[in-house]
Amino acid sequence: MVGFIKLPITLKAEINLVLVAVTGLGLVTRLWGIHFPKAVVFDEVYYGQFVSLYMKQVFFIDDSGPPLGHMILALGAYLGGFDGNFQWNRIGAEYSSNVPVWSLRVMPALMGALSVPLGYQLVVELGYSHLTALVASLLLLMENSLIVQARFMLLESVLVFFLLLAVFSYLKFHNASSSSTPGPSSAWAWLILCGVACAGAVGVKYTGLFTYLLLLSIAGVHTWQIIGDRRLPSVSSLQRRIHSFITLHMI
């Protein structure tokens, strides 16, 4: 068995330093100082009530919308050791010492930070230059509303993350399937991730359904283009596209 191992064992890796830089800047702008102000801000008074109920393991019916976003917020609270004991009665109320403010806000902050490199990658997959992708990521990085929404216990940054991930994953699938040497396994993995991200977006807010319908329409257009392309040497590409359309619909 040792004879099959060729020495030395080496590993080569290519690192996009620009992508690393925008990712680092995204993390800094979203995570730095998120414990301030140590008081209830805007809709934290609303989402905090659901988080407390999850922490106390109290059964309730969440009729305000899909529960996934509240569960993600509750995950951060759980990791921070929050016991759920806090009166979410007014905006501006000071958090007590038992409330891990950083943990309550960390999940939206992380997803908001990761939206910046996702925007970069999405533009690259659209076929634009890396310079254009850098400009797009910087716009996401410095957009004041995105920064504010990501630094508090709100759901907008979580929704934006899932939406960008869904579009990016579908573009990866499309480009991998359309290449001259497609990798079927990796392409289907991207399609499955796209379906998971669409489900995540709808699970956070019902408005995520529009992005799912958009991607489903794009998949239908791509399938139709292949049906009308007589230059295809075989039906394998067509079969793969039809399967992708059906799979995305089922997911």
Side-chain angles (χ1 to χ4, degrees):
M1 181 176 180
V2 180
F4 291 100
I5 301 177
K6 296 182 179 180
L7 298 176
I9 300 175
T10 60
L11 177 65
K12 295 181 179 180
E14 293 184 0
I15 300 176
N16 187 336
L17 295 180
V18 175
L19 182 60
V20 173
V22 296
T23 303
L25 289 174
L27 291 170
V28 171
T29 54
R30 270 65 175 177
L31 287 172
W32 181 76
I34 60 173
H35 60 279
F36 179 83
K38 197 174 181 181
V40 179
V41 177
F42 192 49
D43 274 355
E44 287 186 339
V45 70
Y46 173 71
Y47 297 123
Q49 298 175 23
F50 296 106
V51 172
S52 289
L53 290 173
Y54 278 118
M55 293 301 97
K56 294 179 179 179
Q57 300 183 8
V58 176
F59 175 79
F60 67 98
I61 298 177
D62 185 359
D63 57 355
S64 63
L68 180 60
H70 302 152
M71 292 180 178
I72 292 175
L73 298 179
L75 174 61
Y78 173 78
L79 295 176
F82 182 45
D83 56 9
N85 292 318
F86 183 76
Q87 292 295 325
W88 306 89
N89 51 12
R90 65 181 179 87
I91 297 175
E94 292 288 334
Y95 284 120
S96 55
S97 58
N98 69 305
V99 180
V101 182
W102 192 90
S103 297
L104 290 176
R105 295 171 176 170
V106 69
M107 296 304 293
L110 282 175
M111 291 187 168
L114 293 177
S115 296
V116 177
L118 269 179
Y120 180 97
Q121 293 285 71
L122 192 153
V123 174
V124 171
E125 291 301 321
L126 284 172
Y128 294 97
S129 66
H130 285 273
L131 178 60
T132 304
L134 174 61
V135 173
S137 64
L138 290 177
L139 291 175
L140 290 173
L141 175 70
M142 296 183 295
E143 171 55 45
N144 185 57
S145 61
L146 294 178
I147 295 175
V148 172
Q149 290 171 349
R151 292 175 59 84
F152 298 104
M153 189 173 54
L154 306 174
L155 294 182
E156 281 72 20
S157 62
V158 181
L159 176 63
V160 170
F161 169 79
F162 280 122
L163 296 180
L164 290 176
L165 180 61
V167 177
F168 167 69
S169 300
Y170 179 78
L171 291 175
K172 289 288 291 187
F173 163 76
H174 172 67
N175 293 336
S177 300
S178 303
S179 62
S180 56
T181 57
S185 299
S186 61
W188 283 105
W190 284 114
L191 182 64
I192 293 173
L193 179 59
C194 174
V196 172
C198 286
V202 177
V204 173
K205 287 191 175 183
Y206 289 129
T207 51
L209 180 64
F210 293 105
T211 298
Y212 166 71
L213 294 176
L214 172 65
L215 293 177
L216 198 62
S217 302
I218 295 174
V221 171
H222 289 160
T223 303
W224 183 258
Q225 290 174 344
I226 292 179
I227 291 176
D229 192 350
R230 297 183 178 181
R231 298 172 298 176
L232 293 177
S234 65
V235 297
S236 59
S237 297
L238 177 59
Q239 290 175 342
R240 186 163 58 248
R241 284 295 182 175
I242 293 177
H243 290 165
S244 68
F245 180 78
I246 296 174
T247 302
L248 185 58
H249 178 74
M250 293 177 63
I251 292 176

